């Protein structure tokens, strides 16, 4: 949401134009912002859903738009940031308690079980997925140490659970695109229906089954390999669940199209100009292309990147090393 205050982003251009020119119809707004009408329509839809703009005259003639007061928008941003910070602090406090309990001989945290046996760690992953009735939420971070056979077995299990109606929502680290084993697995699961998003630096490796069970996987301190922390319903469980949902709102959607592939030099030029804020017309003039060609290629790039806005496309392209 912060990019609405960025004068170089599409959302920022549209909002600033409305701030200075209330009641502007889409055509004039597009010309003023230096964007195509299609892009402006998409941006207005997003901003309206986030209560940043409203239609000024929804029932009469050409639809026009009005910006909500900037101070109100900024206050909403600050309130959302404060809420996110509160959630993260709560999660940090619970994880600190978890850290201390996991390293003490005395004391007990009833909702927590520490699992160090490697075979049981893998068994926990299967148990968590097989017990889910509604959804599995996953934060998947490197290193990716599983074998090819492990990933193939996981694919079979995940397809079975999705066929049974279980929704998978997964975060991936940006580098997962380039991993020779995890990357293709990720692409196949997204094609099969997994909802996937990406973050530059996810905070922990986590899996949550419905509202019943969570597993945090950590590197072991005193020996090679990993340990798993099995967490049942508790304040810690709620904190981890809230952290997942808060991060989900901030992350960028991923599509299977284009994962593990490269783009040609012309598309890279288009993406670079898009990321700099250039309009379709400006890109066409700069590269000597027809406007329709640019619109078509921009649309294809948005699809490949799983992005709904040009801003998201720039973020995704940068994460994949395309820029």
């Amino acid at each position: 949401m912060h990019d609405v205050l960025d004068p170089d982003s599409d959302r920022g251009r549209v909002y600033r134009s409305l701030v200075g020119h209330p009641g502007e119809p889409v055509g004039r707004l597009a010309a003023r912002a230096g964007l195509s009408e299609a892009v402006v329509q998409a941006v207005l839809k997003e901003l309206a859903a986030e209560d940043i703009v409203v239609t000024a005259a929804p029932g009469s003639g050409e639809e026009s738009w009005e910006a909500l007061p900037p101070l109100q928008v900024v206050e909403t941003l600050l309130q959302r940031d404060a809420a996110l910070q509160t959630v993260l602090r709560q999660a940090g406090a619970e994880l600190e308690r978890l850290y201390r309990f996991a390293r003490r001989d005395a004391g007990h945290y009833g909702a927590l079980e520490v699992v160090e046996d490697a075979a049981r760690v893998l068994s926990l992953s299967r148990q968590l997925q097989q017990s889910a009735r509604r959804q599995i939420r996953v934060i998947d971070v490197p290193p990716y140490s599983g074998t090819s056979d492990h990933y193939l077995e996981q694919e079979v299990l995940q397809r079975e659970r999705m066929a049974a109606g279980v929704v998978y929502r997964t975060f991936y680290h940006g580098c997962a695109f380039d991993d020779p084993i995890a990357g293709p697995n990720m692409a196949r699961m997204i094609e099969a229906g997994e909802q996937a998003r990406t973050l530059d630096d996810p905070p922990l490796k986590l899996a949550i089954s419905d509202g019943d069970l969570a597993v945090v996987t950590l590197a072991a301190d005193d020996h090679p390999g990993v340990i798993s922390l099995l967490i049942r319903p508790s304040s810690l469980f709620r904190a981890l669940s809230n952290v997942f949902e808060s991060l989900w709102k901030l992350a960028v959607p991923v599509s299977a199209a284009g994962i593990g592939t490269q783009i040609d030099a012309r598309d890279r030029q288009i993406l670079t100009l898009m990321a700099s804020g250039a309009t379709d017309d400006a890109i066409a003039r700069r590269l000597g292309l027809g406007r329709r060609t640019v619109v078509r290629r921009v649309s294809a790039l948005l699809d490949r990147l799983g992005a709904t806005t040009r801003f998201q496309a720039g973020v995704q392209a940068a994460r994949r090393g395309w820029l």
Side-chain angles (χ1 to χ4, degrees):
M1 191 173 170
H2 293 77
D3 63 331
V4 77
L5 303 177
D6 179 1
D8 295 324
S9 72
D10 290 354
R11 288 156 57 96
R13 289 182 182 186
V14 172
Y15 179 68
R16 282 172 179 262
S17 295
L18 279 177
V19 167
H21 301 86
E24 196 87 302
V26 172
R28 268 186 277 163
L29 189 57
R32 202 178 297 283
L35 301 169
S36 70
E37 288 193 25
V39 170
V40 170
Q41 286 279 18
V43 169
L44 287 170
K45 228 180 255 188
E46 292 175 10
L47 297 182
E50 295 172 15
D51 296 325
I52 297 173
V53 302
V54 295
T55 51
S60 59
E62 186 179 5
E63 187 175 52
S64 57
W65 293 82
E66 175 68 80
L68 291 182
L71 286 180
Q72 180 179 329
V73 172
V74 170
E75 184 60 31
T76 300
L77 280 171
L78 293 174
Q79 288 175 2
R80 292 188 185 184
D81 285 349
L84 177 58
Q85 289 174 11
T86 297
V87 168
L88 293 175
R89 286 195 184 98
Q90 289 171 347
E94 287 292 341
L95 288 170
E96 180 65 21
R97 289 177 60 195
L98 173 59
Y99 181 89
R100 297 185 181 207
F101 275 117
R103 287 161 177 75
R104 266 178 16 190
D105 292 329
H108 179 66
Y109 187 74
L112 171 70
E113 178 185 350
V114 180
V115 179
E116 299 192 57
D117 178 69
R120 179 130 192 264
V121 168
L122 290 177
S123 174
L124 273 177
S125 174
R126 295 189 65 85
Q127 174 191 339
L128 181 141
Q129 295 176 76
Q130 289 169 336
S131 66
R133 298 174 301 282
R134 296 181 303 278
Q135 70 169 332
I136 298 288
R137 293 174 286 174
V138 177
I139 300 178
D140 190 22
V141 299
Y144 302 109
S145 55
T147 63
S148 298
D149 288 344
H150 166 75
Y151 282 105
L152 289 175
E153 290 171 4
Q154 167 57 30
E155 283 190 33
V156 171
L157 175 58
Q158 183 169 336
R159 288 179 189 275
E160 289 174 354
R161 301 306 297 141
M162 289 195 294
V166 176
V167 174
Y168 276 70
R169 297 163 60 202
T170 306
F171 283 112
Y172 291 100
H173 193 287
C175 70
F177 293 108
D178 302 319
D179 187 90
I181 296 177
N185 165 263
M186 175 176 66
R188 289 191 293 268
M189 290 299 90
I190 296 171
E191 287 176 341
E194 177 183 273
Q195 298 177 29
R197 297 193 176 188
T198 182
L199 282 172
D200 283 337
D201 192 17
L204 76 168
K205 197 177 190 78
L206 170 69
I208 306 175
S209 172
D210 294 331
D212 307 318
L213 186 68
V215 175
V216 176
T217 303
L218 306 167
D221 287 336
D222 53 357
H223 60 80
V226 298
I227 63 171
S228 281
L229 308 176
L230 182 62
I231 302 157
R232 303 192 185 279
S234 58
S235 58
L236 173 59
F237 183 98
R238 289 191 297 276
L240 291 171
S241 178
N242 289 341
V243 166
F244 182 96
E245 295 301 334
S246 296
L247 293 174
W248 188 260
K249 295 174 184 176
L250 301 175
V252 178
V254 180
S255 73
I259 291 177
T261 65
Q262 295 299 315
I263 59 172
D264 61 26
R266 180 52 53 84
D267 279 345
R268 182 171 286 106
Q269 289 176 314
I270 291 173
L271 274 170
T272 301
L273 291 168
M274 283 171 59
S276 70
T279 65
D280 292 340
D281 289 332
I283 294 172
R285 288 195 301 271
R286 178 73 177 273
L287 300 182
L289 299 173
R291 186 180 185 281
R292 288 185 180 179
T293 300
V294 172
V295 170
R296 186 177 66 252
R297 295 185 79 147
V298 166
S299 177
L301 286 167
L302 290 173
D303 288 342
R304 289 178 67 184
L305 290 162
T308 56
T309 68
R310 296 159 82 97
F311 174 76
Q312 284 186 341
V315 173
Q316 277 283 52
R319 286 176 176 171
R320 297 191 191 187
W322 288 3
L323 295 179

